[in-house]
Amino acid sequence: MKYVSISEAAAQLGIPESTIRYYEKKGLLPQMERDEAGRRIFSENRIAFLKIIIYLKNTHMPICSIRQYVDWMLEGDSTTELRLRMFQEHKQAVLAEIALMTESLQGIDKKIARYTNYLSK
């Protein structure tokens, strides 16, 4: 299995190393693997898992909810239904936020059009 360093993982994911360290500190990256010198190392599976955490964070899921997801992952298959429900509910929240943002963007576009029209007279 191929491993990469924290700097390589951060570069692949487009996030700062400090974000990875913060996620580990918050319990989102349990059982972190380390090399013989004690440096964090990341397998492809760990990077894939970190991508999921990033997706959830980017869609405004609170850290405490992500931590719940991680805890359920560690518990195993008995929590699959809970994880599915969590993702379904989060998807609905994301869709509602997208709808709100789309509506708000339309209002901003109207304002831009008014100002542009006013200045072109």
Side-chain angles (χ1 to χ4, degrees):
M1 183 176 295
K2 183 179 184 285
Y3 289 91
V4 297
S5 68
I6 190 171
S7 61
E8 292 167 319
Q12 281 183 32
L13 296 166
I15 60 174
E17 292 176 33
S18 60
T19 298
I20 296 174
R21 289 186 190 97
Y22 174 77
Y23 289 165
E24 182 184 14
K25 180 181 174 185
K26 290 296 184 180
L28 305 183
L29 297 172
Q31 304 166 349
M32 178 60 65
E33 294 181 75
R34 295 181 184 268
D35 65 14
E36 56 280 344
R39 295 177 295 231
R40 294 167 185 86
I41 54 174
F42 298 81
S43 66
E44 289 179 16
N45 288 342
R46 182 52 63 128
I47 289 176
F49 187 72
L50 193 47
K51 282 181 183 179
I52 293 168
I53 292 169
I54 292 167
Y55 296 151
L56 295 173
K57 191 68 184 122
N58 286 347
T59 55
H60 304 154
M61 181 179 275
I63 292 286
C64 62
S65 296
I66 299 171
R67 175 63 195 265
Q68 179 62 74
Y69 168 71
V70 171
D71 290 346
W72 285 338
M73 285 289 297
L74 293 172
E75 287 181 42
D77 291 343
S78 66
T79 64
T80 301
E81 272 188 53
L82 295 170
R83 288 180 271 151
L84 173 60
R85 191 172 328 119
M86 173 184 267
F87 273 79
Q88 290 169 331
E89 290 172 2
H90 184 63
K91 178 182 178 180
Q92 291 308 308
V94 170
L95 290 172
E97 187 170 346
I98 289 170
L100 178 63
M101 295 297 265
T102 300
E103 181 182 328
S104 299
L105 183 59
Q106 290 169 351
I108 291 169
D109 284 340
K110 287 178 185 177
K111 213 50 164 163
I112 289 171
R114 285 184 191 145
Y115 286 134
T116 301
N117 186 38
Y118 176 78
L119 292 173
S120 66
K121 290 181 181 180

PDB file of all heavy atoms in Angstrom, residues 56 59 61 69 72 79-97:
ATOM      1  N   LEU A  56     -18.590  17.081   3.491  1.00  0.00           N
ATOM      2  CA  LEU A  56     -19.566  17.417   4.529  1.00  0.00           C
ATOM      3  C   LEU A  56     -19.309  18.808   5.093  1.00  0.00           C
ATOM      4  O   LEU A  56     -20.237  19.588   5.289  1.00  0.00           O
ATOM      5  CB  LEU A  56     -19.533  16.359   5.636  1.00  0.00           C
ATOM      6  CG  LEU A  56     -19.976  14.960   5.203  1.00  0.00           C
ATOM      7  CD1 LEU A  56     -19.753  13.958   6.328  1.00  0.00           C
ATOM      8  CD2 LEU A  56     -21.419  14.960   4.733  1.00  0.00           C
ATOM      9  N   THR A  59     -20.296  21.570   2.775  1.00  0.00           N
ATOM     10  CA  THR A  59     -21.748  21.735   2.681  1.00  0.00           C
ATOM     11  C   THR A  59     -22.347  22.116   4.030  1.00  0.00           C
ATOM     12  O   THR A  59     -23.535  21.920   4.277  1.00  0.00           O
ATOM     13  CB  THR A  59     -22.416  20.463   2.112  1.00  0.00           C
ATOM     14  OG1 THR A  59     -22.038  19.329   2.896  1.00  0.00           O
ATOM     15  CG2 THR A  59     -22.021  20.247   0.663  1.00  0.00           C
ATOM     16  N   MET A  61     -21.991  21.044   7.144  1.00  0.00           N
ATOM     17  CA  MET A  61     -22.337  20.142   8.240  1.00  0.00           C
ATOM     18  C   MET A  61     -21.445  20.508   9.429  1.00  0.00           C
ATOM     19  O   MET A  61     -20.238  20.658   9.263  1.00  0.00           O
ATOM     20  CB  MET A  61     -22.130  18.674   7.874  1.00  0.00           C
ATOM     21  CG  MET A  61     -22.520  17.724   9.011  1.00  0.00           C
ATOM     22  SD  MET A  61     -22.326  15.975   8.617  1.00  0.00           S
ATOM     23  CE  MET A  61     -23.876  15.646   7.794  1.00  0.00           C
ATOM     24  N   TYR A  69     -20.893  11.010  12.583  1.00  0.00           N
ATOM     25  CA  TYR A  69     -20.739  10.131  11.425  1.00  0.00           C
ATOM     26  C   TYR A  69     -19.494   9.249  11.576  1.00  0.00           C
ATOM     27  O   TYR A  69     -19.551   8.037  11.356  1.00  0.00           O
ATOM     28  CB  TYR A  69     -20.666  10.960  10.139  1.00  0.00           C
ATOM     29  CG  TYR A  69     -20.222  10.166   8.942  1.00  0.00           C
ATOM     30  CD1 TYR A  69     -21.062   9.211   8.377  1.00  0.00           C
ATOM     31  CD2 TYR A  69     -18.966  10.347   8.381  1.00  0.00           C
ATOM     32  CE1 TYR A  69     -20.652   8.460   7.285  1.00  0.00           C
ATOM     33  CE2 TYR A  69     -18.551   9.604   7.299  1.00  0.00           C
ATOM     34  CZ  TYR A  69     -19.394   8.666   6.754  1.00  0.00           C
ATOM     35  OH  TYR A  69     -18.987   7.912   5.674  1.00  0.00           O
ATOM     36  N   TRP A  72     -20.059   6.561  14.103  1.00  0.00           N
ATOM     37  CA  TRP A  72     -20.889   5.497  13.549  1.00  0.00           C
ATOM     38  C   TRP A  72     -20.089   4.624  12.586  1.00  0.00           C
ATOM     39  O   TRP A  72     -20.286   3.413  12.533  1.00  0.00           O
ATOM     40  CB  TRP A  72     -22.116   6.071  12.858  1.00  0.00           C
ATOM     41  CG  TRP A  72     -23.181   6.551  13.799  1.00  0.00           C
ATOM     42  CD1 TRP A  72     -23.372   6.174  15.092  1.00  0.00           C
ATOM     43  CD2 TRP A  72     -24.205   7.496  13.511  1.00  0.00           C
ATOM     44  NE1 TRP A  72     -24.455   6.829  15.623  1.00  0.00           N
ATOM     45  CE2 TRP A  72     -24.991   7.650  14.679  1.00  0.00           C
ATOM     46  CE3 TRP A  72     -24.545   8.240  12.387  1.00  0.00           C
ATOM     47  CZ2 TRP A  72     -26.086   8.484  14.746  1.00  0.00           C
ATOM     48  CZ3 TRP A  72     -25.638   9.092  12.446  1.00  0.00           C
ATOM     49  CH2 TRP A  72     -26.392   9.207  13.623  1.00  0.00           C
ATOM     50  N   THR A  79     -24.625   0.515  12.163  1.00  0.00           N
ATOM     51  CA  THR A  79     -25.035   1.929  12.089  1.00  0.00           C
ATOM     52  C   THR A  79     -25.289   2.403  10.661  1.00  0.00           C
ATOM     53  O   THR A  79     -25.463   3.598  10.431  1.00  0.00           O
ATOM     54  CB  THR A  79     -23.956   2.831  12.726  1.00  0.00           C
ATOM     55  OG1 THR A  79     -22.750   2.712  11.956  1.00  0.00           O
ATOM     56  CG2 THR A  79     -23.704   2.466  14.176  1.00  0.00           C
ATOM     57  N   THR A  80     -25.347   1.476   9.725  1.00  0.00           N
ATOM     58  CA  THR A  80     -25.517   1.864   8.314  1.00  0.00           C
ATOM     59  C   THR A  80     -26.800   2.662   8.102  1.00  0.00           C
ATOM     60  O   THR A  80     -26.797   3.674   7.397  1.00  0.00           O
ATOM     61  CB  THR A  80     -25.491   0.621   7.402  1.00  0.00           C
ATOM     62  OG1 THR A  80     -24.246  -0.052   7.591  1.00  0.00           O
ATOM     63  CG2 THR A  80     -25.631   1.002   5.942  1.00  0.00           C
ATOM     64  N   GLU A  81     -27.901   2.230   8.709  1.00  0.00           N
ATOM     65  CA  GLU A  81     -29.166   2.958   8.557  1.00  0.00           C
ATOM     66  C   GLU A  81     -29.065   4.374   9.105  1.00  0.00           C
ATOM     67  O   GLU A  81     -29.592   5.320   8.516  1.00  0.00           O
ATOM     68  CB  GLU A  81     -30.310   2.219   9.258  1.00  0.00           C
ATOM     69  CG  GLU A  81     -30.988   1.212   8.383  1.00  0.00           C
ATOM     70  CD  GLU A  81     -32.239   0.645   9.044  1.00  0.00           C
ATOM     71  OE1 GLU A  81     -33.108   1.433   9.479  1.00  0.00           O
ATOM     72  OE2 GLU A  81     -32.319  -0.595   9.116  1.00  0.00           O
ATOM     73  N   LEU A  82     -28.395   4.526  10.236  1.00  0.00           N
ATOM     74  CA  LEU A  82     -28.223   5.856  10.831  1.00  0.00           C
ATOM     75  C   LEU A  82     -27.415   6.762   9.912  1.00  0.00           C
ATOM     76  O   LEU A  82     -27.750   7.936   9.721  1.00  0.00           O
ATOM     77  CB  LEU A  82     -27.524   5.746  12.189  1.00  0.00           C
ATOM     78  CG  LEU A  82     -28.288   5.023  13.284  1.00  0.00           C
ATOM     79  CD1 LEU A  82     -27.389   4.770  14.488  1.00  0.00           C
ATOM     80  CD2 LEU A  82     -29.519   5.820  13.688  1.00  0.00           C
ATOM     81  N   ARG A  83     -26.359   6.213   9.326  1.00  0.00           N
ATOM     82  CA  ARG A  83     -25.526   6.996   8.416  1.00  0.00           C
ATOM     83  C   ARG A  83     -26.296   7.377   7.163  1.00  0.00           C
ATOM     84  O   ARG A  83     -26.210   8.516   6.691  1.00  0.00           O
ATOM     85  CB  ARG A  83     -24.256   6.224   8.062  1.00  0.00           C
ATOM     86  CG  ARG A  83     -23.295   6.166   9.241  1.00  0.00           C
ATOM     87  CD  ARG A  83     -22.042   5.404   8.901  1.00  0.00           C
ATOM     88  NE  ARG A  83     -22.258   3.989   9.210  1.00  0.00           N
ATOM     89  CZ  ARG A  83     -21.670   2.980   8.596  1.00  0.00           C
ATOM     90  NH1 ARG A  83     -20.830   3.192   7.619  1.00  0.00           N
ATOM     91  NH2 ARG A  83     -21.911   1.738   8.964  1.00  0.00           N
ATOM     92  N   LEU A  84     -27.087   6.439   6.637  1.00  0.00           N
ATOM     93  CA  LEU A  84     -27.899   6.731   5.462  1.00  0.00           C
ATOM     94  C   LEU A  84     -28.879   7.855   5.763  1.00  0.00           C
ATOM     95  O   LEU A  84     -29.001   8.817   4.988  1.00  0.00           O
ATOM     96  CB  LEU A  84     -28.656   5.474   5.008  1.00  0.00           C
ATOM     97  CG  LEU A  84     -29.672   5.685   3.887  1.00  0.00           C
ATOM     98  CD1 LEU A  84     -29.014   6.216   2.630  1.00  0.00           C
ATOM     99  CD2 LEU A  84     -30.421   4.381   3.608  1.00  0.00           C
ATOM    100  N   ARG A  85     -29.567   7.772   6.884  1.00  0.00           N
ATOM    101  CA  ARG A  85     -30.532   8.801   7.267  1.00  0.00           C
ATOM    102  C   ARG A  85     -29.830  10.150   7.425  1.00  0.00           C
ATOM    103  O   ARG A  85     -30.346  11.185   6.989  1.00  0.00           O
ATOM    104  CB  ARG A  85     -31.255   8.411   8.555  1.00  0.00           C
ATOM    105  CG  ARG A  85     -32.445   9.316   8.841  1.00  0.00           C
ATOM    106  CD  ARG A  85     -33.307   8.861  10.013  1.00  0.00           C
ATOM    107  NE  ARG A  85     -33.372   7.426  10.216  1.00  0.00           N
ATOM    108  CZ  ARG A  85     -32.961   6.812  11.332  1.00  0.00           C
ATOM    109  NH1 ARG A  85     -32.490   7.490  12.337  1.00  0.00           N
ATOM    110  NH2 ARG A  85     -33.060   5.500  11.447  1.00  0.00           N
ATOM    111  N   MET A  86     -28.635  10.137   8.047  1.00  0.00           N
ATOM    112  CA  MET A  86     -27.882  11.379   8.217  1.00  0.00           C
ATOM    113  C   MET A  86     -27.577  12.020   6.864  1.00  0.00           C
ATOM    114  O   MET A  86     -27.780  13.225   6.688  1.00  0.00           O
ATOM    115  CB  MET A  86     -26.577  11.123   8.970  1.00  0.00           C
ATOM    116  CG  MET A  86     -25.660  12.336   9.032  1.00  0.00           C
ATOM    117  SD  MET A  86     -24.082  11.967   9.815  1.00  0.00           S
ATOM    118  CE  MET A  86     -24.470  12.431  11.502  1.00  0.00           C
ATOM    119  N   PHE A  87     -27.128  11.213   5.907  1.00  0.00           N
ATOM    120  CA  PHE A  87     -26.797  11.750   4.587  1.00  0.00           C
ATOM    121  C   PHE A  87     -28.049  12.223   3.860  1.00  0.00           C
ATOM    122  O   PHE A  87     -28.015  13.260   3.180  1.00  0.00           O
ATOM    123  CB  PHE A  87     -26.040  10.707   3.758  1.00  0.00           C
ATOM    124  CG  PHE A  87     -24.556  10.747   3.992  1.00  0.00           C
ATOM    125  CD1 PHE A  87     -23.999  10.169   5.119  1.00  0.00           C
ATOM    126  CD2 PHE A  87     -23.707  11.367   3.089  1.00  0.00           C
ATOM    127  CE1 PHE A  87     -22.639  10.202   5.349  1.00  0.00           C
ATOM    128  CE2 PHE A  87     -22.346  11.418   3.313  1.00  0.00           C
ATOM    129  CZ  PHE A  87     -21.804  10.839   4.443  1.00  0.00           C
ATOM    130  N   GLN A  88     -29.151  11.505   3.979  1.00  0.00           N
ATOM    131  CA  GLN A  88     -30.398  11.930   3.341  1.00  0.00           C
ATOM    132  C   GLN A  88     -30.875  13.270   3.907  1.00  0.00           C
ATOM    133  O   GLN A  88     -31.272  14.168   3.150  1.00  0.00           O
ATOM    134  CB  GLN A  88     -31.476  10.863   3.515  1.00  0.00           C
ATOM    135  CG  GLN A  88     -31.206   9.618   2.696  1.00  0.00           C
ATOM    136  CD  GLN A  88     -32.127   8.466   3.061  1.00  0.00           C
ATOM    137  OE1 GLN A  88     -32.594   8.341   4.209  1.00  0.00           O
ATOM    138  NE2 GLN A  88     -32.387   7.585   2.098  1.00  0.00           N
ATOM    139  N   GLU A  89     -30.831  13.410   5.218  1.00  0.00           N
ATOM    140  CA  GLU A  89     -31.256  14.661   5.848  1.00  0.00           C
ATOM    141  C   GLU A  89     -30.307  15.801   5.488  1.00  0.00           C
ATOM    142  O   GLU A  89     -30.747  16.926   5.230  1.00  0.00           O
ATOM    143  CB  GLU A  89     -31.348  14.482   7.362  1.00  0.00           C
ATOM    144  CG  GLU A  89     -32.496  13.598   7.788  1.00  0.00           C
ATOM    145  CD  GLU A  89     -32.488  13.247   9.265  1.00  0.00           C
ATOM    146  OE1 GLU A  89     -31.595  13.718  10.016  1.00  0.00           O
ATOM    147  OE2 GLU A  89     -33.375  12.472   9.692  1.00  0.00           O
ATOM    148  N   HIS A  90     -29.021  15.509   5.460  1.00  0.00           N
ATOM    149  CA  HIS A  90     -28.060  16.545   5.108  1.00  0.00           C
ATOM    150  C   HIS A  90     -28.247  16.974   3.652  1.00  0.00           C
ATOM    151  O   HIS A  90     -28.167  18.173   3.344  1.00  0.00           O
ATOM    152  CB  HIS A  90     -26.629  16.067   5.359  1.00  0.00           C
ATOM    153  CG  HIS A  90     -25.611  17.129   5.115  1.00  0.00           C
ATOM    154  ND1 HIS A  90     -25.565  18.300   5.856  1.00  0.00           N
ATOM    155  CD2 HIS A  90     -24.619  17.223   4.202  1.00  0.00           C
ATOM    156  CE1 HIS A  90     -24.585  19.061   5.403  1.00  0.00           C
ATOM    157  NE2 HIS A  90     -23.998  18.426   4.400  1.00  0.00           N
ATOM    158  N   LYS A  91     -28.525  16.033   2.781  1.00  0.00           N
ATOM    159  CA  LYS A  91     -28.771  16.380   1.382  1.00  0.00           C
ATOM    160  C   LYS A  91     -29.941  17.343   1.269  1.00  0.00           C
ATOM    161  O   LYS A  91     -29.872  18.329   0.522  1.00  0.00           O
ATOM    162  CB  LYS A  91     -29.050  15.116   0.551  1.00  0.00           C
ATOM    163  CG  LYS A  91     -29.350  15.444  -0.902  1.00  0.00           C
ATOM    164  CD  LYS A  91     -29.666  14.208  -1.709  1.00  0.00           C
ATOM    165  CE  LYS A  91     -30.008  14.605  -3.145  1.00  0.00           C
ATOM    166  NZ  LYS A  91     -30.325  13.438  -3.975  1.00  0.00           N
ATOM    167  N   GLN A  92     -31.006  17.092   2.010  1.00  0.00           N
ATOM    168  CA  GLN A  92     -32.167  17.984   1.973  1.00  0.00           C
ATOM    169  C   GLN A  92     -31.798  19.387   2.466  1.00  0.00           C
ATOM    170  O   GLN A  92     -32.233  20.386   1.905  1.00  0.00           O
ATOM    171  CB  GLN A  92     -33.326  17.396   2.781  1.00  0.00           C
ATOM    172  CG  GLN A  92     -33.926  16.155   2.142  1.00  0.00           C
ATOM    173  CD  GLN A  92     -34.302  16.354   0.686  1.00  0.00           C
ATOM    174  OE1 GLN A  92     -34.997  17.294   0.326  1.00  0.00           O
ATOM    175  NE2 GLN A  92     -33.806  15.469  -0.168  1.00  0.00           N
ATOM    176  N   ALA A  93     -30.984  19.458   3.504  1.00  0.00           N
ATOM    177  CA  ALA A  93     -30.536  20.759   4.019  1.00  0.00           C
ATOM    178  C   ALA A  93     -29.684  21.484   2.976  1.00  0.00           C
ATOM    179  O   ALA A  93     -29.819  22.703   2.789  1.00  0.00           O
ATOM    180  CB  ALA A  93     -29.758  20.575   5.317  1.00  0.00           C
ATOM    181  N   VAL A  94     -28.824  20.742   2.292  1.00  0.00           N
ATOM    182  CA  VAL A  94     -27.980  21.341   1.250  1.00  0.00           C
ATOM    183  C   VAL A  94     -28.847  21.845   0.103  1.00  0.00           C
ATOM    184  O   VAL A  94     -28.645  22.968  -0.396  1.00  0.00           O
ATOM    185  CB  VAL A  94     -26.918  20.335   0.746  1.00  0.00           C
ATOM    186  CG1 VAL A  94     -26.203  20.855  -0.498  1.00  0.00           C
ATOM    187  CG2 VAL A  94     -25.910  20.033   1.844  1.00  0.00           C
ATOM    188  N   LEU A  95     -29.821  21.063  -0.321  1.00  0.00           N
ATOM    189  CA  LEU A  95     -30.717  21.495  -1.399  1.00  0.00           C
ATOM    190  C   LEU A  95     -31.492  22.745  -1.012  1.00  0.00           C
ATOM    191  O   LEU A  95     -31.681  23.644  -1.840  1.00  0.00           O
ATOM    192  CB  LEU A  95     -31.665  20.355  -1.784  1.00  0.00           C
ATOM    193  CG  LEU A  95     -31.017  19.172  -2.503  1.00  0.00           C
ATOM    194  CD1 LEU A  95     -32.018  18.024  -2.647  1.00  0.00           C
ATOM    195  CD2 LEU A  95     -30.462  19.590  -3.855  1.00  0.00           C
ATOM    196  N   ALA A  96     -31.935  22.824   0.228  1.00  0.00           N
ATOM    197  CA  ALA A  96     -32.643  24.023   0.699  1.00  0.00           C
ATOM    198  C   ALA A  96     -31.715  25.231   0.681  1.00  0.00           C
ATOM    199  O   ALA A  96     -32.121  26.335   0.289  1.00  0.00           O
ATOM    200  CB  ALA A  96     -33.200  23.791   2.105  1.00  0.00           C
ATOM    201  N   GLU A  97     -30.472  25.042   1.076  1.00  0.00           N
ATOM    202  CA  GLU A  97     -29.510  26.146   1.064  1.00  0.00           C
ATOM    203  C   GLU A  97     -29.202  26.584  -0.368  1.00  0.00           C
ATOM    204  O   GLU A  97     -29.090  27.778  -0.645  1.00  0.00           O
ATOM    205  CB  GLU A  97     -28.225  25.752   1.787  1.00  0.00           C
ATOM    206  CG  GLU A  97     -27.276  26.915   1.947  1.00  0.00           C
ATOM    207  CD  GLU A  97     -26.101  26.617   2.860  1.00  0.00           C
ATOM    208  OE1 GLU A  97     -26.122  25.608   3.582  1.00  0.00           O
ATOM    209  OE2 GLU A  97     -25.157  27.420   2.836  1.00  0.00           O
TER     210      GLU A  97
END
